[in-house]
Amino acid sequence: MSKLPAFRTAAWTLVVLLTGHVSAAPSAQVFDAVRKPQSVDSEWRARLCALLPQPCDAQALGLYRVRGAAASDYVVLSVEPLAMARIKRDKDAKTWRVNRLHDFGSYAALMKKDTGTGMSDVRLSLAPALYPLAEGQWAMAVLQTVSEMYSGGGASFSKADFVPLNDTRAVHEGIPFSCSKMIRACFSEKEYKSSKHCHDESNGSLRIAYEEPGKPGGPYSWQYTWLQSEWPANTAASGSTTTRLHFTARTTERVSFCGGPQ
């Protein structure tokens, strides 16, 4: 089964203000995964778990850096508990300190309560980014991912609830975030040798563009775009197609979502 496509945000744009100054338009703050966290601290999982609400699953932690941050500043994302923490590596290279903790456990509990047993097959996680709501206000994407396994393939579908930091109420809910689907189309040795492509594949991901508020201090306007690629079986890579769809929080059903559940 192919991995989910890497998350991407809307490109930086520039807005020329009436004063003639150039200012960066609102943009998501992306976290970059630390590729070799063991080289930072061989015991980072256990040490960081000890700083988070308990119980903590050390194997479900991710270590990240904020783009442009100081070398000693990191971000840890946790699945159990569902939390994000800004952390710092002290100069002695042995001690981690939590500068700020955002616990989404209450939101996860509310989701499970509202949906009852329907959450049993859903995996919750946090997307590695902060999303701008208004000047100085940010949200995280709480992802609900459903996976399916097929013979010789599989699929994964993720929706996002955008939850402000330090709040338990989402400002945008059930937004298609990413999908990946692969279905086997070759069943014999002859087919595997002769086919240009032995799977039907689909991959989709969300883009968000942010617009300045109509009045100072107001919320940013979010514009959603869904990008999806289709690579049919028995077709060369050059035969794959990509579609782009603009939608709103009220028209999510328009998103094809790799043919997954809506």
Side-chain angles (χ1 to χ4, degrees):
M1 174 177 166
S2 59
K3 296 182 179 180
L4 285 174
F7 172 71
R8 306 177 181 90
T9 59
W12 283 91
T13 58
L14 295 178
V15 175
V16 181
L17 304 180
L18 294 178
T19 58
H21 297 292
V22 177
S23 174
S27 177
Q29 188 179 109
V30 180
F31 304 156
D32 293 319
V34 176
R35 294 185 177 182
K36 297 181 179 180
Q38 292 81 2
S39 65
V40 179
D41 183 349
S42 61
E43 299 180 28
W44 70 277
R45 292 185 181 277
R47 288 173 174 164
L48 294 184
C49 247
L51 300 176
L52 299 176
Q54 301 300 309
C56 174
D57 181 0
Q59 297 306 310
L61 296 182
L63 190 62
Y64 299 82
R65 289 186 185 275
V66 179
R67 293 180 183 177
S72 60
D73 291 341
Y74 293 84
V75 171
V76 61
L77 297 183
S78 169
V79 172
E80 182 60 48
L82 192 65
M84 182 270 283
R86 298 270 192 161
I87 55 177
K88 182 176 287 289
R89 183 77 161 148
D90 282 349
K91 293 181 180 179
D92 63 9
K94 295 181 180 180
T95 306
W96 296 93
R97 290 188 292 108
V98 175
N99 286 347
R100 196 174 306 152
L101 173 66
H102 299 283
D103 188 349
F104 293 88
S106 295
Y107 187 78
L110 286 174
M111 290 182 63
K112 293 176 182 178
K113 180 179 179 180
D114 291 342
T115 56
T117 58
M119 290 293 293
S120 59
D121 297 329
V122 178
R123 178 180 178 272
L124 298 182
S125 62
L126 298 173
L130 292 177
Y131 301 86
L133 297 174
E135 186 174 357
Q137 298 180 32
W138 300 87
M140 291 207 76
V142 177
L143 304 182
Q144 306 105 57
T145 302
V146 177
S147 297
E148 299 175 352
M149 298 302 296
Y150 318 130
S151 175
S156 184
F157 311 95
S158 294
K159 292 184 179 181
D161 289 356
F162 292 91
V163 183
L165 300 180
N166 301 318
D167 201 345
T168 59
R169 296 168 296 178
V171 292
H172 307 289
E173 297 181 284
I175 306 300
F177 191 81
S178 63
C179 65
S180 178
K181 190 173 186 178
M182 183 171 68
I183 300 176
R184 184 174 64 174
C186 294
F187 300 92
S188 67
E189 183 177 354
K190 180 180 180 180
E191 287 177 318
Y192 274 105
K193 289 182 178 180
S194 61
S195 176
K196 296 179 179 179
H197 184 221
C198 278
H199 293 86
D200 284 309
E201 291 190 53
S202 301
N203 288 281
S205 57
L206 176 69
R207 306 291 190 277
I208 307 174
Y210 311 91
E211 296 182 0
E212 294 284 356
K215 59 181 180 179
Y220 298 139
S221 173
W222 288 23
Q223 307 296 326
Y224 298 120
T225 299
W226 182 255
L227 214 62
Q228 183 161 314
S229 64
E230 303 285 347
W231 186 5
N234 303 311
T235 305
S238 58
S240 62
T241 59
T242 300
T243 57
R244 183 184 298 267
L245 172 71
H246 301 291
F247 69 100
T248 70
R250 295 182 178 181
T251 59
T252 57
E253 71 280 355
R254 297 177 58 203
V255 177
S256 53
F257 205 40
C258 299
Q262 287 285 358

